[in-house]
Amino acid sequence: MSLFKREFYTFFLVIFVSILSTSHTIYAQDVISPVLEDKVYIDIGLEYGFNSGLGGNIGYNDLSVERGGLSLWSLSFLYKDDGIDQWGEYYQSIGQNQFPEDIIDTGYAYLTMHGIVGVKITKSTHALATIGYRMASYVQKRQDDFTILGNNGRYHTSYTDPDKSEIGAGMGVKFFLPMSEHVVFTPTIILSTLSVMSFSIGFAF
């Protein structure tokens, strides 16, 4: 099974378990379901982007603002690579074309960062706008047969590739679903030029 498929199945397994947990918690309320409060929440989430890999996010959410007001700010970080093994010691000082006989594999690693702002539609639904940057690093897995460099000859190098790095934007929606008096479930979906589509599950306190 590829690294991409493992990430995909793991992420949606976590979503499934979280939804079951949320449903059970709400169903278990004896008299009154929990209600969203007009206050500030801090949330932390696990995120998966179809073109950006796995990562997380953290946000500041003010549910007390008027409808149409700026209600949230958050940061998102996602990581994905081609599955290349970045083994041994990392050498920053070795040029991309130095010691080409040591190169045994190459690939790319991507770090995607998004800044997100939201506008309140209702207390539980917020429209999002994002701007982000994806940094592409060209990675070389290397083996020094003379074992002078690295750990027993094993080392790797990486170089930022400006041609594959890019800026992007997107939009989405975030929901606030109360689980208890103090805990809120925050599923989020974002469409963007960098991640194509990303899903996040999180909890706000």
Side-chain angles (χ1 to χ4, degrees), residues 98-193:
Q98 282 186 283
F99 313 124
E101 66 278 4
D102 288 356
I103 301 171
I104 59 176
D105 196 10
T106 62
Y108 277 89
Y110 302 91
L111 177 63
T112 304
M113 299 160 283
H114 279 109
I116 304 167
V117 295
V119 172
K120 182 177 180 179
I121 300 175
T122 67
K123 189 186 296 186
S124 61
T125 306
H126 299 249
L128 308 178
T130 77
I131 185 167
Y133 176 72
R134 178 165 60 204
M135 181 177 68
S137 298
Y138 178 62
V139 181
Q140 295 176 337
K141 177 181 177 181
R142 292 167 171 257
Q143 172 70 52
D144 176 12
D145 292 334
F146 298 102
T147 66
I148 298 172
L149 299 173
N151 299 326
N152 293 321
R154 295 181 175 184
Y155 69 104
H156 68 278
T157 57
S158 67
Y159 316 91
T160 300
D161 187 339
D163 293 331
K164 286 184 174 288
S165 300
E166 57 182 322
I167 296 173
M171 61 184 65
V173 62
K174 183 171 188 173
F175 302 97
F176 291 80
L177 309 175
M179 295 178 61
S180 69
E181 185 180 354
H182 302 292
V183 181
V184 178
F185 183 50
T186 56
T188 305
I189 182 171
I190 292 175
L191 304 176
S192 75
T193 57

Side-chain angles (χ1 to χ4, degrees), residues 72-91:
L72 67 88
W73 302 263
S74 64
L75 292 174
S76 163
F77 300 90
L78 299 168
Y79 177 82
K80 177 184 178 181
D81 61 39
D82 293 339
I84 183 172
D85 184 4
Q86 300 181 40
W87 67 1
E89 190 174 345
Y90 170 62
Y91 280 85

